[in-house]
Amino acid sequence: MDPEAPREPGHSVSERLAAAIGSYAAEGGPSYQHVPSELVVQDFFDGIELNARALLRFIDTGKMPTAHELRPVTELAMARLANGAGLQEVIGSYQQVSADLWRRFVSESEPVDRDDVLDLMPKVTEYIFNVVTLIATEAAHRSADPRSEARDRDRAALDALLATGVAAGPFDVGRPCFVVAVFQLSGAPGAGSSVSALKSRVEAIVDVHLRLDLNGWVAVHWSSRSRQDAVADFRATLDRAHDETAVRCWAGIASSSTAAGVPDAYRTARGLAATAHALDRSEFLADLGNLTVEYLSAASGPDLPAVAELVAGVSAADPIFEQTLRIFLEENCNQLATARRMHVHRNSVTYRLGKVHALTGLNPLIFAQAASLHAALIARDLS
């Protein structure tokens, strides 16, 4: 290429930098140890684009952006800290992403441009150092804020309650009922804004504290009302929040009438959420009342393959036998309803269920054996 020839628009620094950002975004972006990726991805890439524009202005003018101009960048970092990420993790993530983007930018530059691009390195380094300094300074300033200290104390109290059942801080109240909801996000890309909206709605519920993790978050609600009323009200509020945001996720829910029982409720809610996610259930909320067999099947762990083996021969013989069995169980063991749904004669359903009996030794027309077949199908789905 003639170095004196005019460059095409696609070769401009800003467009090439935008292309590097786009390719990085397509791979999902950064991850944090304690913050769900769905809460990070959307606003993170907004921050990258703002950073890129600020960096280009600095390269063009030599004038470092002010703290006020970079306020959206530092606010994103503060949001990560408030959600439970550590300062070193936040700064490390920023530096790692900056390095990744710079490597892409250099590698995707034309050979004739490489020397000019590498000459920009001192300014890029200076800019990154400036942003990291602003983040660290703002974090130090906010760490002295009483609200930050109170948030850290509440987070520690929540961790202690979930792990040991010891109530302290906001949970040290008279005769409370505790309701635990564990949210499992679907991991669908591009859902960041909706997930943030759902989190905000749950966080706004009176007497609720949240703790985030990679799969979603844990919400603990405490109430002086009866256990039944507290659970019913909390469920209704969560359902409304979910309907308003339409986030694809699941929430396992369990309760305890004492603080000492919270760790067990947390374990149950976590298992329910994971089971509903694994089975891709259509219902948002899952409790032991509507997911008993599925939850127990999932909890069997190493025994799942053995349970699933009970129905292995059914699908191997003819997939229609397994399909008929599944619909029969979904229709509460009603042969006529099964026949209508499958658009076949009832005698066909009877024949197919007879084949299931012959292949498994378990009769779907006997309740206890139908329950065993149901559990085996769930184990097959979870295996």
Side-chain angles (χ1 to χ4, degrees):
M1 178 184 292
D2 181 358
E4 300 302 320
R7 300 293 170 83
E8 294 295 325
H11 287 287
S12 69
V13 171
S14 59
E15 290 186 354
R16 283 185 286 135
L17 190 55
I21 292 172
S23 63
Y24 188 79
E27 296 176 4
S31 62
Y32 288 82
Q33 292 182 358
H34 303 292
V35 183
S37 59
E38 290 86 347
L39 278 174
V40 173
V41 63
Q42 181 137 342
D43 56 10
F44 190 91
F45 288 110
D46 291 343
I48 285 180
E49 291 180 4
L50 189 151
N51 260 303
R53 290 195 299 272
L55 172 59
L56 288 172
R57 284 197 302 272
F58 174 52
I59 289 172
D60 288 341
T61 66
K63 182 180 178 182
M64 182 67 71
T66 65
H68 176 73
E69 291 170 332
L70 291 173
R71 188 74 180 173
V73 176
T74 54
E75 285 299 323
L76 285 176
M78 295 307 103
R80 299 290 165 260
L81 293 175
N83 283 334
L87 178 59
Q88 290 301 320
E89 185 178 21
V90 171
I91 290 176
S93 176
Y94 178 82
Q95 292 172 321
Q96 181 61 50
V97 170
S98 300
D100 287 346
L101 284 173
W102 180 252
R103 279 194 292 269
R104 287 171 187 268
F105 182 62
V106 172
S107 65
E108 293 171 9
S109 298
E110 296 292 340
V112 69
D113 296 323
R114 291 281 171 82
D115 288 342
D116 291 339
V117 168
L118 292 174
D119 286 343
L120 299 176
M121 190 62 190
K123 282 194 171 182
V124 173
T125 303
E126 183 182 355
Y127 175 82
I128 293 173
F129 178 79
N130 180 63
V131 173
V132 168
T133 301
L134 286 175
I135 292 172
T137 301
E138 184 66 18
H141 173 73
R142 296 197 184 191
S143 67
D145 187 336
R147 290 172 298 180
S148 177
E149 293 179 8
R151 187 167 54 243
D152 289 343
R153 286 197 301 270
D154 288 348
R155 185 179 293 135
L158 178 56
D159 287 345
L161 178 66
L162 292 171
T164 67
V166 174
F171 308 107
D172 188 13
V173 291
R175 297 189 301 279
C177 165
F178 294 96
V179 190
V180 182
V182 176
F183 290 74
Q184 180 100 28
L185 299 171
S186 70
S193 58
S194 297
V195 171
S196 296
L198 176 59
K199 173 180 174 288
S200 296
R201 282 169 169 78
V202 176
E203 213 163 16
I205 301 172
V206 176
D207 293 334
V208 164
H209 271 306
L210 259 63
R211 189 191 76 178
L212 276 69
D213 60 34
L214 282 178
N215 294 321
W217 58 82
V218 183
V220 175
H221 170 57
W222 65 99
S223 171
S224 59
R225 304 183 67 188
S226 71
R227 186 170 177 177
Q228 183 176 0
D229 288 345
V231 172
D233 287 350
F234 191 43
R235 286 180 64 102
T237 306
L238 291 181
D239 265 326
R240 284 195 299 273
H242 179 256
D243 290 344
E244 290 167 358
T245 55
V247 174
R248 181 168 169 72
C249 66
W250 298 265
I253 191 166
S255 63
S256 173
S257 56
T258 65
V262 168
D264 284 340
Y266 174 40
R267 175 181 52 78
T268 300
R270 190 172 61 233
L272 287 165
T275 302
H277 180 205
L279 294 173
D280 197 20
R281 298 269 294 189
S282 58
E283 298 88 351
F284 160 54
L285 286 174
D287 60 26
L288 281 178
N290 63 21
L291 210 68
T292 309
V293 176
E294 292 86 346
Y295 173 76
L296 292 175
S297 297
S300 64
D303 296 323
L304 271 179
V307 177
E309 187 66 25
L310 293 174
V311 292
V314 176
S315 184
D318 190 334
I320 196 65
F321 298 153
E322 180 178 327
Q323 182 187 14
T324 303
L325 175 61
R326 286 181 182 275
I327 294 175
F328 176 69
L329 293 170
E330 290 171 5
E331 294 294 340
N332 298 313
C333 299
N334 185 315
Q335 291 192 60
L336 184 57
T338 302
R340 287 173 178 166
R341 184 168 159 187
M342 300 191 75
H343 307 290
V344 298
H345 194 277
R346 177 174 176 170
N347 288 346
S348 296
V349 174
T350 302
Y351 168 76
R352 294 171 186 174
L353 295 178
K355 293 296 291 185
V356 170
H357 186 187
L359 289 164
T360 65
L362 298 170
N363 188 349
L365 303 183
I366 298 175
F367 174 77
Q369 295 180 33
S372 296
L373 289 167
H374 179 42
L377 288 173
I378 292 167
R380 179 181 173 87
D381 293 338
L382 290 170
S383 297

